[in-house]
Amino acid sequence: MAEPTLNKLRVPLADPKVQLRQLHALAIERSFEAQVAGAGHPELRADGIQVLQINVGKRCNQVCHHCHVDAGPDRREVMSAETVDHCLRVLAQTDIPTLDITGGAPELHPEFRRMVREARALGRQVMDRCNLTILLLPNYSDLPEFLAENQVEVIASLPYYLPKQTDAQRGEGVFDGSIEALRRLNDLGYGVPGSGLKLDLVTNPVGAFLPAKQSQLEAEWRRELARRHGVTFNSLYTITNMPISRFLEFLLRSGNLETYMQKLVQAFNPAAVNGLMCRTTLSVGWDGTLYDCDFNQMLELTVDHGGPRHIRDFQIAPLARRQIVTAPHCFGCTAGAGSSCGGALAD
Amino acid sequence: MSHYYESHDLGKFGEMANGSPELWQKFLAWYSAVFAEGALSEREKALIALAVAHAVQCPYCIDAYTTACLEKGSNEEQMTEAVHVAAAIRGGASLVHGVQMRNHLHKLSM
Ligand code: SF4
Ligand code: SF4
């Protein structure tokens, strides 16, 4: 049996407002907004929309301990077919080059394949944020072939190249399943030089510390995954754990919240500000609401500076120059080498 | 009762600048140069620091370099081996002084 989500447990921390209260109650010497202004951005603004990131819902076959979505098998939030249509219409009416599909496990969504096909037919790059074990479920075993046929870029989560750390974060047996799924993807050409099929890996630290240097880890992982498991991949992205949702619950439970937040604040790197993903991404929630990023989405911090707030009312001009909504969790994106869905920002 | 070592006191380390700002600055410059990537990697240096922290039994350094090792990409097994290296040197250092004991023993004995 999978563990219950915070939502299912009905704990107060499942409420984004309670999470924000926790973050705002922390003593932070200089606010994120002041730090960003000091780095040359008096207002943090979007600079176009390069990526439409769609979170199709919170259902997932896993219940990872660090999950910022609080996803799991007991979640019921799923994007409607009508909202999917709105998203595809926005893609068709703009030249946003990339569709980034996330969740939960996005492949569980009944419209996943339609989204991929239609976005590909429009000539857009499509990314699937894949938890790997989904590819082993009986009803989804043809997914690798589907992804390959449609030249979908697979961004797969794997926190470590050893079972102990991976299973500690993602659940018992996840490591072995992930390696099996990676081998299947490799067999189809994913992550194999010259195939044109991109397979990138994502690693989040397994605990309350910052990720190591991305370039150094990538070299190590390439060596160890090849040597131990015969697995190859294209790039490794390091992502900092954000102090929200289940990772926030872990920080509180383990007595790490203050030191972790202090670490994020002290490690503020002005060089990471320019490349913050919210500056080039528009995030869509399962109900069509628009956000600056997937983290703001989970905190229910809707876009809030003049632009429309729902995908059905999409207008490129105000959204492409919108002011970004920020809060203390944003320090997670600027700590050390910086962090985004595409990995480090200033490695 | 308050303890001699409080983990949050590590955050006050910078207050050592108050008595002598120049010496503190020199220490900081030297310290950060020591830990920068060189002939040894930052990761190797953090592991050495972790081992030495155990040898000198400094709780602040143990906390700081446990975090540093993780953030340089080391794992539990590697860190545990580093601590064993420190322990082995400490144990070996005691034992090898047995030679001194034996030298003196032989000198005194008939
Ligand atoms: S981190 Fe990803 S795989 Fe894990 S529970 Fe969350 S959505 Fe699912
Ligand atoms: S959390 Fe979102 S809004 Fe805040 S800096 Fe990161 S990407 Fe931007």
Side-chain angles (χ1 to χ4, degrees):
Chain A
M1 261 303 274
E3 285 174 43
T5 60
L6 298 179
N7 183 268
K8 174 84 175 175
L9 290 170
R10 295 176 179 277
V11 293
L13 204 63
D15 180 352
K17 287 188 210 68
V18 176
Q19 297 176 31
L20 279 168
R21 259 206 303 281
Q22 286 281 356
L23 295 176
H24 282 294
L26 295 166
I28 293 173
E29 245 171 61
R30 208 162 166 236
S31 70
F32 183 76
E33 297 71 29
Q35 289 282 39
V36 166
H41 293 259
E43 286 179 339
L44 189 61
R45 280 197 177 274
D47 184 23
I49 303 174
Q50 298 303 317
V51 180
L52 189 67
Q53 188 177 58
I54 302 186
N55 193 314
V56 293
K58 302 187 185 199
R59 277 174 61 210
C60 189
N61 56 316
Q62 291 183 183
V63 195
C64 305
H65 293 134
H66 71 307
C67 182
H68 73 274
V69 180
D70 192 24
D74 60 48
R75 298 304 297 255
R76 295 287 168 262
E77 298 87 340
V78 178
M79 185 175 274
S80 69
E82 189 192 348
T83 304
V84 169
D85 288 340
H86 288 310
C87 295
L88 291 169
R89 185 177 45 80
V90 164
L91 270 190
Q93 290 174 353
T94 61
D95 50 11
I96 298 172
T98 302
L99 173 67
D100 180 340
I101 314 180
T102 187
E107 305 88 345
L108 288 173
H109 194 283
E111 302 275 347
F112 175 78
R113 294 185 192 213
R114 178 166 74 96
M115 289 177 89
V116 169
R117 281 201 195 94
E118 292 195 19
R120 290 297 297 148
L122 292 166
R124 307 309 155 85
Q125 183 199 9
V126 176
M127 299 198 281
D128 172 27
R129 296 205 175 260
C130 178
N131 71 12
L132 292 173
T133 59
I134 191 77
L135 304 180
L136 306 178
L137 295 188
N139 289 343
Y140 298 86
S141 57
D142 61 335
L143 252 173
E145 285 77 10
F146 170 81
L147 295 169
E149 271 162 31
N150 287 279
Q151 303 233 303
V152 175
E153 181 174 344
V154 175
I155 321 266
S157 306
L158 189 75
Y160 208 61
Y161 56 76
L162 294 171
K164 184 173 170 184
Q165 291 83 347
T166 301
D167 289 359
Q169 183 187 79
R170 301 180 72 78
E172 204 54 42
V174 169
F175 182 79
D176 290 344
S178 302
I179 293 296
E180 194 183 330
L182 285 170
R183 289 207 183 102
R184 288 202 53 202
L185 289 167
N186 279 169
D187 287 346
L188 290 171
Y190 267 108
V192 176
S195 71
L197 293 173
K198 266 194 95 189
L199 170 62
D200 299 325
L201 299 182
V202 167
T203 169
N204 286 69
V206 186
F209 53 93
L210 291 178
K213 206 172 155 60
Q214 182 170 284
S215 51
Q216 174 207 317
L217 287 193
E218 183 179 276
E220 185 181 347
W221 285 54
R222 206 177 294 295
R223 185 182 72 234
E224 294 300 321
L225 281 175
R227 185 170 74 88
R228 293 166 190 262
H229 307 290
V231 163
T232 59
F233 63 94
N234 293 102
S235 305
L236 176 75
Y237 300 144
T238 54
I239 300 192
T240 301
N241 287 315
M242 296 300 265
I244 64 176
S245 196
R246 290 213 284 263
F247 190 69
L248 176 60
E249 192 274 332
F250 158 76
L251 290 173
L252 281 163
R253 184 165 33 89
S254 57
N256 278 306
L257 177 60
E258 278 167 27
T259 35
Y260 187 72
M261 202 60 205
Q262 211 171 31
K263 174 183 287 288
L264 297 184
V265 171
Q266 280 171 356
F268 178 83
N269 180 356
V273 175
N274 234 351
L276 285 173
M277 67 177 169
C278 47
R279 301 197 63 227
T280 49
T281 300
L282 183 68
S283 155
V284 189
W286 66 274
D287 61 356
T289 306
L290 301 179
Y291 303 91
D292 295 306
C293 70
D294 206 51
F295 305 121
N296 282 10
Q297 180 176 143
M298 298 315 147
L299 290 171
E300 295 179 359
L301 296 169
T302 314
V303 287
D304 191 24
H305 291 278
R309 289 176 171 211
H310 195 279
I311 190 75
R312 86 171 89 75
D313 309 318
F314 182 89
Q315 292 168 34
I316 188 95
L319 284 166
R321 287 287 304 150
R322 73 191 186 276
Q323 192 179 337
I324 307 291
V325 179
T326 52
H329 69 291
C330 293
F331 277 113
C333 293
T334 49
S339 177
S340 74
C341 286
L345 300 169
D347 195 7
Chain B
M1 192 191 104
S2 79
H3 297 275
Y4 190 70
Y5 291 113
E6 299 281 2
S7 57
H8 59 256
D9 281 348
L10 178 56
K12 299 184 194 159
F13 192 18
E15 292 174 15
M16 284 303 293
N18 296 349
S20 173
E22 303 95 88
L23 286 179
W24 176 251
Q25 280 313 321
K26 284 183 175 160
F27 168 76
L28 272 194
W30 173 70
Y31 194 90
S32 50
V34 165
F35 281 97
E37 192 92 7
L40 292 174
S41 68
E42 290 183 3
R43 181 190 293 196
E44 288 164 334
K45 288 180 182 184
L47 280 168
I48 294 170
L50 181 73
V52 175
H54 282 79
V56 299
Q57 293 181 317
C58 169
Y60 299 125
C61 306
I62 291 173
D63 284 3
Y65 282 94
T66 298
T67 308
C69 282
L70 289 168
E71 293 185 342
K72 299 296 175 203
S74 292
N75 63 32
E76 185 183 346
E77 289 75 12
Q78 293 158 341
M79 290 157 66
T80 306
E81 285 187 18
V83 173
H84 273 287
V85 171
I89 291 293
R90 276 185 76 117
S94 290
L95 202 56
V96 77
H97 279 77
V99 176
Q100 189 71 23
M101 175 273 284
R102 294 188 64 76
N103 286 346
H104 206 58
L105 177 76
H106 288 310
K107 189 177 164 200
L108 297 179
S109 304
M110 280 194 264

